[in-house]
Amino acid sequence: MTRQIKLGAFLPGGGQHIAAWRHPDQPVDGATNLQFHIELAQTAERGLFDAYFLADGLAVAFGGGVEGGNARVVGFEPVTLFSAIAPFTTHLGFIATASTTYEEPYALARKFASLDLISDGRAGWNVVTTATEAAARNFNRDTQLPHAARYRRAAEHVAVVKALWESFEDDAFIRDRDSGVYFDVNKVHRIDHDGEHFKVEGPLNVLRSPQGHPVIVQAGQSEDGRDLAASTAEVIFTAHQKLETAQAFYRDIKTRAKALGRDPAHILVMPGVSPFIGRTRAEAQEKYERLTGLIVEEDGLALIKALTGGELDLRGLDLDGPLPPVAPTEGMKSRQALIRQIADENQFSIRQLYQWIASARGHFTLVGSPVDIADTLQDWFENEGADGFNILPPWLPTGLNDFVDLVIPELQRRGLFRTAYEGRTLRDNLGLPFPHTRWSLPFAAAAE
């Protein structure tokens, strides 16, 4: 098959931009409006997106918190939400974020396996290590784990979850009324894991789905994050401002994966892109300026504080002056470095910095016509910068509708994007292989 762009839709109901809720097109209660989320999912499916992607936070975020005092202060737990939405769609995948830092492997494996069954094989797990002091204090800790410790725990966590997802072989369930045999006891397996962080006997009490198990997604960019992604991820969500850094990341991940014996083609790198789309460049710029003009100053400062590690107090400083130095913390190290890079390379003032990152938080913001947007995506896709993209519409539903109605047809015209779904599972549509268990004949034959 001809290689084509894969697309995720990153759709927090309250909008991606920190001022989205103030836009007249954006429902003010979108963050916790189930019907609105259903409509967004159906629009994404109309646009033939591979998946609906949601981040998650484990603490209330306002007044110097993770995202500033805006509509992202509350929201649904993603797996719960996607379980409610899935029946209203038929092909769209659902990638939910869940933390290896504060969740136990058995409980996480169980709820994602359940979502995978409910959706007939359309679930994905975005593996994250949670970084904030606020989250730590909600989970029986006084302070967050150090960065390296979070990733050691994450590596073991993912290994345990994957083993649990292999508890039942694919043909374990006989369900024969005449014989009274429900399942073959020889095809169910304990994992008996005893490691540094977890002790789990198993087996998992949820069977496998039509796609085997949920697609594993990862979003780290630090050295530890790259190692985890190269060894475990099937899709990687990454943040870059320039093609050159995207290419370096892309090539590095593929090289690391190959060195570990993995097929680089089975790891999809999907940078985040936040597009402001107009039928003309002037219209797109007007949309950008209108939303930028709605930013509350306090929210902008809180956003910078969060993304630079949580220690930088900008109140009282000249907002038209440069971003002051700040030492890195144990938070999201790669994102802290990226925000500093954006500020320095563009010579942004504090105000200009929060205006630029208000929508994408370090991901790539694009302002232009459908042709402009498609040109950039094509350039990155054809030059080892991406296998696809996670699209972050600045406000909803307009930003998503603009992409579906204006950019998707342009990508299709160029032969860069599907005109129909290839299959029914998320793996089918992403072009990822079925994950055979260690007990299956294909696995055993490969090991000989």
Side-chain angles (χ1 to χ4, degrees), residues 3 6 29 96 99 119 126 173 274 288 395 406 409 412:
R3 180 170 173 262
K6 304 301 179 183
D29 67 343
S99 172
S119 63
N126 180 38
F173 287 86
S274 183
Y288 173 78
W395 78 104
L406 301 175
Q412 291 170 329

Side-chain angles (χ1 to χ4, degrees), residues 180-442:
V181 176
Y182 193 77
F183 69 96
D184 185 342
V185 295
N186 296 312
K187 294 187 176 184
V188 57
H189 308 278
R190 292 177 8 185
I191 70 167
D192 293 321
H193 176 88
D194 190 355
E196 178 185 358
H197 300 93
F198 306 107
K199 187 174 183 179
V200 181
E201 181 179 84
L204 187 69
N205 60 346
V206 184
L207 74 162
R208 279 159 63 87
S209 82
Q211 69 169 351
H213 66 64
V215 173
I216 296 178
V217 184
Q218 212 267 331
Q221 289 189 195
S222 65
E223 282 299 307
D224 291 331
R226 293 182 189 212
D227 284 342
L228 180 64
S231 62
T232 65
E234 297 170 281
V235 176
I236 300 174
F237 184 28
T238 182
H240 297 281
Q241 294 284 310
K242 298 183 297 185
L243 174 58
E244 292 78 10
T245 63
Q247 289 171 322
F249 179 85
Y250 184 97
R251 293 163 182 164
D252 180 52
I253 286 292
K254 303 281 185 172
T255 299
R256 293 185 194 218
K258 187 174 182 179
L260 293 169
R262 301 186 64 197
D263 184 344
H266 296 160
I267 305 168
L268 305 177
V269 178
M270 299 177 65
V273 175
S274 183
F276 289 81
I277 307 158
R279 295 185 183 277
T280 65
R281 292 180 185 177
E283 181 183 340
Q285 186 64 32
E286 186 279 329
K287 290 181 177 181
Y288 173 78
E289 292 174 358
R290 181 179 187 184
L291 196 51
T292 298
L294 297 176
I295 298 173
V296 176
E297 182 180 292
E298 183 182 18
D299 290 351
L301 299 181
L303 181 61
I304 292 178
K305 180 178 180 179
L307 294 177
T308 54
E311 301 295 328
L312 187 59
D313 189 351
L314 298 170
R315 291 173 297 180
L317 297 183
D318 179 7
L319 301 189
D320 295 312
L323 183 71
V326 57
T329 71
E330 289 296 334
M332 297 182 291
K333 291 184 179 294
S334 60
R335 192 55 54 93
Q336 294 175 52
L338 180 59
I339 297 303
R340 170 55 65 181
Q341 176 188 337
I342 293 170
D344 291 347
E345 289 186 353
N346 294 285
Q347 296 185 320
F348 279 156
S349 67
I350 295 171
R351 190 189 315 277
Q352 289 171 323
L353 178 61
Y354 73 60
Q355 289 174 341
W356 185 247
I357 65 174
S359 180
R361 293 160 181 77
H363 293 282
F364 191 26
T365 297
L366 278 174
V367 183
S369 69
V371 170
D372 294 330
I373 305 298
D375 283 347
T376 301
L377 300 187
Q378 182 172 3
D379 188 26
W380 284 43
F381 176 68
E382 292 181 344
N383 291 285
E384 295 188 324
D387 295 304
F389 303 90
N390 267 317
I391 303 302
L392 294 73
W395 78 104
L396 298 166
T398 307
L400 177 61
N401 288 333
D402 284 347
F403 195 90
V404 168
D405 294 334
L406 301 175
V407 178
I408 292 290
E410 180 63 24
L411 294 174
Q412 291 170 329
R413 186 185 67 79
R414 302 179 188 200
L416 292 169
F417 190 64
R418 65 170 63 94
T419 55
Y421 283 107
E422 294 82 1
R424 292 297 297 270
T425 72
L426 180 56
R427 289 184 181 280
D428 288 340
N429 294 319
L430 289 173
L432 295 172
F434 184 88
H436 293 286
T437 71
R438 72 190 75 184
W439 321 106
S440 67
L441 289 176

